[in-house]
Amino acid sequence: PDLDRAVVLVSDAPLRIAPLEKSPAPSTLRAGDLVRIENRRGPFFYVETEDGKTGWATGAEVAPVVH
């Protein structure tokens, strides 16, 4: 299974610079986009987009893809 992939669940999901709810988010994710999970800390996933952007999103914003 492809355990390191996730799908973005909400439009304009913040891509935070740190795994904190109030952390600045210089970019956002689009609903339906696929991202790669690089790390996890509490409720946050550190993800990389297909165009190379990285940052932290919550489990309410992205969900791992299970085959």
Side-chain angles (χ1 to χ4, degrees), residues 1-55:
D2 204 4
L3 299 178
D4 62 345
R5 302 295 278 172
V7 64
V8 180
L9 300 174
V10 296
S11 295
D12 299 322
L15 194 58
R16 300 170 184 85
I17 60 171
L20 302 166
E21 193 66 41
K22 296 189 185 300
S23 178
S27 61
T28 57
L29 302 168
R30 292 186 313 248
D33 282 356
L34 288 176
V35 294
R36 178 179 298 278
I37 298 171
E38 300 289 338
N39 201 348
R40 183 172 188 170
R41 185 170 298 159
F44 289 88
F45 293 99
Y46 186 74
V47 300
E48 182 177 355
T49 65
E50 291 182 343
D51 60 357
K53 293 179 187 170
T54 57

